[in-house]
Amino acid sequence: MSAAIGLYRPGTSLLHRAPAGLKLAALVAAGVASLAVRAPWEVAAVLVGLALGYALARIPVAVAARLLRPVLFLLVPLAVFHAIVTTWQHAVVVVGVILALVLLANLVTLTTRSSDLIDAVVWVVRPLRRVGVDPERVGLLMHLGIRSVPVVIELAERVRDAQRARGLTTSVRAFAVPLLVGALRHADALGDALAARGLDD
Amino acid sequence: MTTPRSTSRDLALIAVFAGIIAVLGLIPAMYPFGQAVPITAQSLGVMLCGAILGPRRGAGAVLLFLALVAIGLPLLAGGRGGLGVFASPTIGYLIGFPVAAWVIGGGVYTAGAPYRIVVGLVAALVGGVLVLNAIGILGMMWRADLSIGAATKAAALFMPGDVIKAVLTALIARGVHAAYPGLLPRRRREPVAAA
């Protein structure tokens, strides 16, 4: 349904075939384990392991790098800061751990379909049923949210065209107010459609 | 409106406003401090969710937006997405987003209808500037191992932009509540003469 705008890269590797829930659990476990990393060589070993994982999933370096770029812009100054204020070893550990977790999380993202992750989320929130969270509704909400992105883009384009036609130019308010009112009206129609399908029963 | 179970209208509002946050993030960012720190309209969207939908639905829309980012949609400003963004030093801001929407919505909806700009402005400043940055700073101290001073200095770069966005939130919310009445709960009727 939503694969077209996601970051998923189709493939048949072991990592692609592993269940989404297992991959998410591994990610959480890695986050906990990262607190125990103390030495630069440990960071190096983890990064080598991650490189093997990317190779196994046949992710091109360019794809991995593009996803990593925004984080690198944060990590480089952070590494310099820590190397000056503390020691280079500490800088390697702090920055290396963040880098490793980001790489691992991106690897899960690249090898797992959004719809599989939605199913995993629905499964994970099942215990919240007791506090009034309906897991099926969470899944429905995620699909509705994905669908609403192109709808709102279209709405925004219409508002902008109308603004141009009236000769208004670059006021944020003149753009945002009609966009939000349009979104509220659209939500009313969507809510009616959901109610008509028996969602409130 | 405060029924424990969300109605289908609530679900629709949450879904559509998650889309609003995403689309405001598409508006080209300004980079006054280099590539690492884009100033975008995305957090404006977060604040507006609170000011327009109220605490529960507003925070819900933000959580849904974050869930869509987590499952791999590149909706975060600058086309970022995937689980990796939650391992970044800016994690505090992502955690702070739904809290900010909750605080702003709580302020605006507690005051109720008719919308008052002063209430909206104070709520947006408290939720969208103070609370959001406090959680963001804690996140940087934790993930990036920065001292509170260094993290606060980094956050301070964005605060002028945050204040502008809070003012815009208050103004835009006034326009929206005027054009689309009925969202805010009616204030408890004070014993006024013409009642």
PDB file of all heavy atoms in Angstrom, chain B residues 11-13 18 26 48-49 85 104 108 144 156 187 190 192:
ATOM      1  N   LEU B  11     -10.327   9.928  15.239  1.00  0.00           N
ATOM      2  CA  LEU B  11      -9.318   9.188  14.461  1.00  0.00           C
ATOM      3  C   LEU B  11      -8.999   9.938  13.171  1.00  0.00           C
ATOM      4  O   LEU B  11      -7.842  10.070  12.779  1.00  0.00           O
ATOM      5  CB  LEU B  11      -9.817   7.782  14.116  1.00  0.00           C
ATOM      6  CG  LEU B  11      -9.973   6.775  15.245  1.00  0.00           C
ATOM      7  CD1 LEU B  11     -10.215   5.392  14.680  1.00  0.00           C
ATOM      8  CD2 LEU B  11      -8.750   6.762  16.140  1.00  0.00           C
ATOM      9  N   ALA B  12     -10.049  10.445  12.510  1.00  0.00           N
ATOM     10  CA  ALA B  12      -9.841  11.156  11.247  1.00  0.00           C
ATOM     11  C   ALA B  12      -9.014  12.413  11.477  1.00  0.00           C
ATOM     12  O   ALA B  12      -8.084  12.707  10.715  1.00  0.00           O
ATOM     13  CB  ALA B  12     -11.191  11.501  10.617  1.00  0.00           C
ATOM     14  N   LEU B  13      -9.334  13.159  12.542  1.00  0.00           N
ATOM     15  CA  LEU B  13      -8.575  14.383  12.830  1.00  0.00           C
ATOM     16  C   LEU B  13      -7.113  14.058  13.112  1.00  0.00           C
ATOM     17  O   LEU B  13      -6.204  14.743  12.642  1.00  0.00           O
ATOM     18  CB  LEU B  13      -9.193  15.107  14.033  1.00  0.00           C
ATOM     19  CG  LEU B  13     -10.506  15.853  13.756  1.00  0.00           C
ATOM     20  CD1 LEU B  13     -11.160  16.286  15.064  1.00  0.00           C
ATOM     21  CD2 LEU B  13     -10.253  17.073  12.874  1.00  0.00           C
ATOM     22  N   ALA B  18      -1.627  14.428  11.370  1.00  0.00           N
ATOM     23  CA  ALA B  18      -0.302  13.827  11.203  1.00  0.00           C
ATOM     24  C   ALA B  18       0.225  14.188   9.813  1.00  0.00           C
ATOM     25  O   ALA B  18       1.411  14.503   9.638  1.00  0.00           O
ATOM     26  CB  ALA B  18      -0.369  12.317  11.386  1.00  0.00           C
ATOM     27  N   LEU B  26       7.821  19.616   4.703  1.00  0.00           N
ATOM     28  CA  LEU B  26       8.300  19.626   3.316  1.00  0.00           C
ATOM     29  C   LEU B  26       8.644  21.029   2.843  1.00  0.00           C
ATOM     30  O   LEU B  26       9.379  21.209   1.874  1.00  0.00           O
ATOM     31  CB  LEU B  26       7.220  19.066   2.379  1.00  0.00           C
ATOM     32  CG  LEU B  26       6.842  17.601   2.555  1.00  0.00           C
ATOM     33  CD1 LEU B  26       5.723  17.236   1.588  1.00  0.00           C
ATOM     34  CD2 LEU B  26       8.048  16.731   2.300  1.00  0.00           C
ATOM     35  N   LEU B  48       0.736  23.580  16.279  1.00  0.00           N
ATOM     36  CA  LEU B  48      -0.627  23.805  15.786  1.00  0.00           C
ATOM     37  C   LEU B  48      -1.540  22.623  16.120  1.00  0.00           C
ATOM     38  O   LEU B  48      -2.723  22.818  16.410  1.00  0.00           O
ATOM     39  CB  LEU B  48      -0.600  24.039  14.272  1.00  0.00           C
ATOM     40  CG  LEU B  48      -0.113  25.424  13.851  1.00  0.00           C
ATOM     41  CD1 LEU B  48       0.175  25.464  12.359  1.00  0.00           C
ATOM     42  CD2 LEU B  48      -1.149  26.477  14.218  1.00  0.00           C
ATOM     43  N   CYS B  49      -0.999  21.415  16.074  1.00  0.00           N
ATOM     44  CA  CYS B  49      -1.811  20.246  16.438  1.00  0.00           C
ATOM     45  C   CYS B  49      -2.378  20.407  17.842  1.00  0.00           C
ATOM     46  O   CYS B  49      -3.553  20.141  18.079  1.00  0.00           O
ATOM     47  CB  CYS B  49      -0.975  18.967  16.367  1.00  0.00           C
ATOM     48  SG  CYS B  49      -0.795  18.335  14.720  1.00  0.00           S
ATOM     49  N   VAL B  85      16.494   7.757  13.100  1.00  0.00           N
ATOM     50  CA  VAL B  85      16.380   9.102  13.653  1.00  0.00           C
ATOM     51  C   VAL B  85      16.169   9.065  15.163  1.00  0.00           C
ATOM     52  O   VAL B  85      16.476  10.025  15.857  1.00  0.00           O
ATOM     53  CB  VAL B  85      15.237   9.909  13.001  1.00  0.00           C
ATOM     54  CG1 VAL B  85      15.484  10.078  11.505  1.00  0.00           C
ATOM     55  CG2 VAL B  85      13.889   9.264  13.235  1.00  0.00           C
ATOM     56  N   ILE B 104       0.382  22.497  25.033  1.00  0.00           N
ATOM     57  CA  ILE B 104      -0.280  23.606  24.336  1.00  0.00           C
ATOM     58  C   ILE B 104      -1.789  23.344  24.260  1.00  0.00           C
ATOM     59  O   ILE B 104      -2.610  24.210  24.561  1.00  0.00           O
ATOM     60  CB  ILE B 104       0.315  23.782  22.922  1.00  0.00           C
ATOM     61  CG1 ILE B 104       1.792  24.192  23.031  1.00  0.00           C
ATOM     62  CG2 ILE B 104      -0.479  24.819  22.134  1.00  0.00           C
ATOM     63  CD1 ILE B 104       2.535  24.160  21.712  1.00  0.00           C
ATOM     64  N   VAL B 108      -4.874  25.640  25.843  1.00  0.00           N
ATOM     65  CA  VAL B 108      -5.895  26.252  24.991  1.00  0.00           C
ATOM     66  C   VAL B 108      -7.271  25.653  25.283  1.00  0.00           C
ATOM     67  O   VAL B 108      -8.273  26.379  25.360  1.00  0.00           O
ATOM     68  CB  VAL B 108      -5.522  26.073  23.505  1.00  0.00           C
ATOM     69  CG1 VAL B 108      -6.667  26.517  22.598  1.00  0.00           C
ATOM     70  CG2 VAL B 108      -4.258  26.861  23.179  1.00  0.00           C
ATOM     71  N   ALA B 144      24.313  12.634  23.537  1.00  0.00           N
ATOM     72  CA  ALA B 144      25.568  13.201  23.027  1.00  0.00           C
ATOM     73  C   ALA B 144      26.561  13.424  24.151  1.00  0.00           C
ATOM     74  O   ALA B 144      27.657  13.916  23.907  1.00  0.00           O
ATOM     75  CB  ALA B 144      25.288  14.505  22.294  1.00  0.00           C
ATOM     76  N   ALA B 156      20.011  26.944  22.323  1.00  0.00           N
ATOM     77  CA  ALA B 156      19.715  28.376  22.269  1.00  0.00           C
ATOM     78  C   ALA B 156      19.742  28.913  20.840  1.00  0.00           C
ATOM     79  O   ALA B 156      19.070  29.890  20.525  1.00  0.00           O
ATOM     80  CB  ALA B 156      20.711  29.140  23.136  1.00  0.00           C
ATOM     81  N   ARG B 187     -16.642  27.315  27.443  1.00  0.00           N
ATOM     82  CA  ARG B 187     -16.223  27.629  28.801  1.00  0.00           C
ATOM     83  C   ARG B 187     -17.429  27.546  29.723  1.00  0.00           C
ATOM     84  O   ARG B 187     -18.552  27.853  29.311  1.00  0.00           O
ATOM     85  CB  ARG B 187     -15.643  29.033  28.853  1.00  0.00           C
ATOM     86  CG  ARG B 187     -14.679  29.217  29.997  1.00  0.00           C
ATOM     87  CD  ARG B 187     -14.035  30.584  29.914  1.00  0.00           C
ATOM     88  NE  ARG B 187     -13.373  30.792  28.629  1.00  0.00           N
ATOM     89  CZ  ARG B 187     -13.270  31.989  28.044  1.00  0.00           C
ATOM     90  NH1 ARG B 187     -13.819  33.039  28.598  1.00  0.00           N
ATOM     91  NH2 ARG B 187     -12.649  32.126  26.897  1.00  0.00           N
ATOM     92  N   GLU B 190     -20.388  31.517  33.001  1.00  0.00           N
ATOM     93  CA  GLU B 190     -20.415  32.318  34.213  1.00  0.00           C
ATOM     94  C   GLU B 190     -21.771  32.995  34.300  1.00  0.00           C
ATOM     95  O   GLU B 190     -22.392  33.285  33.278  1.00  0.00           O
ATOM     96  CB  GLU B 190     -19.296  33.378  34.169  1.00  0.00           C
ATOM     97  CG  GLU B 190     -17.935  32.806  34.506  1.00  0.00           C
ATOM     98  CD  GLU B 190     -16.890  33.092  33.439  1.00  0.00           C
ATOM     99  OE1 GLU B 190     -16.767  34.254  33.038  1.00  0.00           O
ATOM    100  OE2 GLU B 190     -16.230  32.139  32.977  1.00  0.00           O
ATOM    101  N   VAL B 192     -23.644  35.375  33.811  1.00  0.00           N
ATOM    102  CA  VAL B 192     -23.686  36.698  33.201  1.00  0.00           C
ATOM    103  C   VAL B 192     -25.159  37.088  33.044  1.00  0.00           C
ATOM    104  O   VAL B 192     -26.043  36.221  33.004  1.00  0.00           O
ATOM    105  CB  VAL B 192     -22.977  36.697  31.825  1.00  0.00           C
ATOM    106  CG1 VAL B 192     -22.771  38.111  31.320  1.00  0.00           C
ATOM    107  CG2 VAL B 192     -21.634  35.986  31.943  1.00  0.00           C
TER     108      VAL B 192
END
